[in-house]
Amino acid sequence: MSEVAATGAPGRPGCFITFEGGEGAGKSTQIARLAAWLRAGADGRAEAREVVTTREPGGSPRAERIRSAVLSGVAKPYGPFAEALLFAAARLDHLSTLIRPSLARGAVVLCDRFSDSTRAYQGAAGGVEPETLAALERVVVGATRPDLTLILDLPAEIGLARARQRDRAAARGPDRFEAEALGFHQRLRAAFLAIAEAEPARCAVIDAQGTPDAVAQAIRAAVAERLPQLARGAADAA
Ligand code: Z5A
């Protein structure tokens, strides 16, 4: 095995960071920024890292096929539990083909959504019992839990307006979940905040209402504080 400084959970050479939040919270924007910062060794203060950026649902060829089906709405008539099973099937493949091999060779994996999205969308907003989702998470995710989860928080109205503006610019309509009513998105926000409150050691809530630069700075500060090996010295500059 190559000489890689351990950064995440014990026995795991790499480091697993997930981004969560409602629609249009800025996850894709901020993953690209954090990846560039880590690849540059946190402005030269730390070791430059191999960074793998990925997303859920998707992230592997088979999981991307499940993504297309679920986001098209084809599974909606089967109900939230069936959708949770499809997200879990996609996650199983994503974990075994991309996430675990990347962590094993020492990469930093930045993932746009992960199992907290199942808890929020299919659980809190969709009505699937938490015990059922916890059991699914135990068998699918196992020990590959995130080292850090950044929850990008903002009012649902603002996130939806951003997502709609982006969709208009790309000349496309809302997907299966964007099309849900405002109340659904407000439940999601509350669910992500509740997850952060229940698991403060893993989760950091980031105010996502500021400019992209301000949000990126808050994310770097959280990473420097929670995973100092990735950004040694950067906390002082944050
Ligand atoms: N889902 C689920 O139900 N269960 C699960 O287990 C999993 C997922 C894993 C995936 O959709 C859907 O699957 C998701 C949940 C469900 N629901 N939906 N829809 P997706 O991957 O297509 O979309 P998303 O994850 O919701 O992300 P998003 O809507 O694409 O937004 P984002 O990545 O958070 O934001 P963004 O693309 O970076 O930014 C959105 C726009 O705002 C864009 O035009 C930016 O330029 C702009 N932006 C970004 N930051 C700012 C700031 N700071 N100020 C102003 N404007 C900004």
Side-chain angles (χ1 to χ4, degrees), residues 12-212:
R12 182 192 289 174
C15 187
F16 187 24
I17 302 177
T18 56
F19 284 64
E20 298 279 5
E23 315 296 315
K27 299 179 302 301
S28 315
T29 304
Q30 294 301 332
I31 282 180
R33 284 172 172 242
L34 184 64
W37 188 66
L38 293 172
R39 285 178 183 131
D43 298 328
R45 292 182 184 85
E47 180 193 351
R49 302 293 305 224
E50 179 196 353
V51 180
V52 173
T53 62
T54 187
R55 68 174 180 184
E56 287 211 348
S60 64
R62 280 187 290 261
E64 287 290 331
R65 286 202 284 277
I66 296 177
R67 175 189 176 92
S68 304
V70 180
L71 296 193
S72 75
V74 74
K76 187 177 176 184
Y78 297 90
F81 178 57
E83 287 183 315
L85 292 176
L86 288 167
F87 284 115
R91 185 163 300 135
L92 205 57
D93 190 71
H94 187 207
L95 278 161
S96 66
T97 61
L98 183 76
I99 296 177
R100 289 192 186 116
S102 303
L103 293 173
R105 66 171 186 270
V108 179
V109 176
L110 305 183
C111 189
D112 189 339
R113 299 197 180 280
F114 194 61
S115 48
D116 293 318
S117 282
T118 312
R119 294 191 203 176
Y121 280 78
Q122 284 66 53
V128 180
E129 303 75 21
E131 299 74 26
T132 306
L133 295 182
L136 204 53
E137 208 174 300
R138 264 197 311 280
V139 290
V140 173
V141 175
T144 317
R145 298 187 181 283
D147 297 298
L148 173 64
T149 295
L150 298 159
I151 294 181
L152 272 54
D153 177 62
L154 81 177
E157 297 89 330
I158 298 178
L160 283 171
R162 284 185 190 171
R164 284 188 190 124
Q165 196 174 8
R166 181 204 49 206
D167 291 348
R168 265 198 305 276
R172 63 168 192 237
D175 68 26
R176 150 82 182 87
F177 295 99
E178 282 170 11
E180 292 281 355
L182 181 61
F184 179 91
H185 295 282
Q186 287 168 334
R187 285 199 294 282
L188 288 176
R189 183 187 189 194
F192 282 120
L193 291 175
I195 291 169
E197 204 178 330
E199 296 184 55
R202 172 173 68 88
C203 301
V205 178
I206 305 292
D207 180 357
Q209 290 188 73
T211 63

